[in-house]
């Protein structure tokens, strides 16, 4: 049974409000995943929809799915060309003194047998740029809106830790895991241009666990503007 909201739906695509903690693919250790909902997400169409981009297991919010291979190819190309507007909300586990800024830190992946893999800032890594602004402050926690230009794996998580000086609340890799909490990152808005059609625009409301930390639904952000330069990628969560 589907226990999450459908934020956008037409003959080509749908956008779901993915719950935090739900992985897209089956974990090695087993357990529920989005694949379990494939048949129910058909809604009478011949094919089950396919995710166009990735969100980490803990990340909640807007996830675009394509209903057929042609749509999947077009939407994937839009992500690669950085034509897709993405807005995230994250709870940073510490004070952020400035009100807004841009983080430009190249990222590389490293791995070890003992700790697995993670991303690190590295001059020789791939370019990664994230714009951010503070939305609210509650004690030692800061609600930040992130607008990534690029979409490197774990980009927002490592940019928060290395660029803002504090990891996202509950992040077990780049910060300190908090019992009972996920990595507090939410894909709040997605805007996908379409040739000859109105763009896909979806907004996912602030999740309950963000509200429990004392934060309220932020006001709507300014319309997204595509960057001038182009860097190919499609995964920022």
């Amino acid at each position: 049974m589907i226990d999450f909201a459908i934020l956008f739906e037409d003959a080509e695509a749908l956008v779901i409000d993915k719950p935090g903690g739900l992985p897209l693919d089956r974990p090695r250790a087993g357990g529920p995943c989005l694949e379990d909902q494939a048949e129910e997400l058909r809604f009478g169409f011949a094919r089950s929809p396919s995710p166009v981009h990735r969100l980490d297991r803990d990340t909640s919010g807007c996830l675009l799915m394509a209903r057929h291979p042609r749509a999947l190819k077009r939407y994937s190309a839009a992500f690669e060309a950085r034509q897709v507007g993405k807005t995230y909300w994250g709870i940073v586990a510490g004070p952020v003194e400035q009100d807004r800024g841009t983080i430009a830190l190249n990222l590389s992946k490293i791995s070890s047998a003992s700790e697995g893999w993670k991303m690190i800032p590295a001059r020789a890594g791939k370019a990664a740029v994230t714009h951010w602004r503070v939305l609210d402050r509650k004690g030692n926690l800061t609600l930040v809106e992130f607008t990534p230009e690029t979409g490197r794996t774990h980009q927002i998580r490592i940019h928060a830790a290395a660029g803002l000086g504090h990891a996202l609340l509950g992040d077990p890799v780049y910060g300190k895991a908090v019992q009972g909490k996920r990595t507090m990152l939410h894909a709040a808005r997605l805007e996908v241009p379409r040739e000859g059609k109105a763009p896909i625009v979806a907004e996912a409301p602030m999740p309950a666990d963000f509200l429990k930390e004392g934060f309220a639904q932020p006001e709507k952000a300014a319309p997204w503007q595509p960057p001038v330069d182009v860097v190919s990628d499609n995964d920022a969560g």
Side-chain angles (χ1 to χ4, degrees), residues 1 15 24 29 45 56 62 64 91 93 96 104-105 119 150 191 208 211:
M1 183 179 70
V15 180
L24 303 190
F45 285 84
D56 288 345
C62 298
L64 174 63
I91 299 179
V96 178
L105 287 173
M119 305 299 290
T150 51
E191 184 174 345
L211 297 172

Side-chain angles (χ1 to χ4, degrees), residues 92 94-100 132 134 137 141-142 144 164 166:
V92 176
V96 178
E97 294 183 3
Q98 294 182 330
D99 291 332
R100 63 177 62 236
W132 62 271
V134 171
R137 296 177 172 90
L141 300 178
T142 309
V144 178
L164 298 182
H166 303 283

Side-chain angles (χ1 to χ4, degrees), residues 106-235:
N106 293 3
L107 301 178
S108 289
K109 180 186 286 190
I110 62 170
S111 62
S112 67
S114 59
E115 298 183 4
W117 68 268
K118 64 179 180 179
M119 305 299 290
I120 61 168
R123 183 174 298 178
K126 294 182 178 180
V129 178
T130 305
H131 306 292
W132 62 271
R133 64 170 180 149
V134 171
L135 298 176
D136 199 2
R137 296 177 172 90
K138 297 289 184 184
N140 219 31
L141 300 178
T142 309
L143 179 65
V144 178
E145 180 181 271
F146 297 95
T147 307
E149 277 195 26
T150 51
R152 307 304 179 193
T153 302
H154 292 184
Q155 176 174 318
I156 293 173
R157 294 168 62 184
I158 186 61
H159 273 185
L164 298 182
H166 303 283
L168 296 177
L169 181 64
D171 192 328
V173 177
Y174 305 105
K176 182 179 181 182
V178 180
Q179 188 173 5
K181 287 187 174 66
R182 62 182 174 104
T183 301
M184 299 295 271
L185 184 63
H186 179 68
R189 179 181 170 88
L190 190 69
E191 184 174 345
V192 186
R194 299 193 291 184
E195 186 176 352
K197 288 188 176 184
I200 295 171
V201 179
E203 296 184 351
M206 179 167 281
D209 49 2
F210 275 56
L211 297 172
K212 287 181 180 179
E213 296 296 340
F215 295 107
Q217 176 82 23
E219 295 182 3
K220 194 173 293 187
W224 178 79
Q225 296 295 327
V228 175
D229 299 323
V230 174
V231 177
S232 295
D233 45 48
N234 68 347
D235 183 9

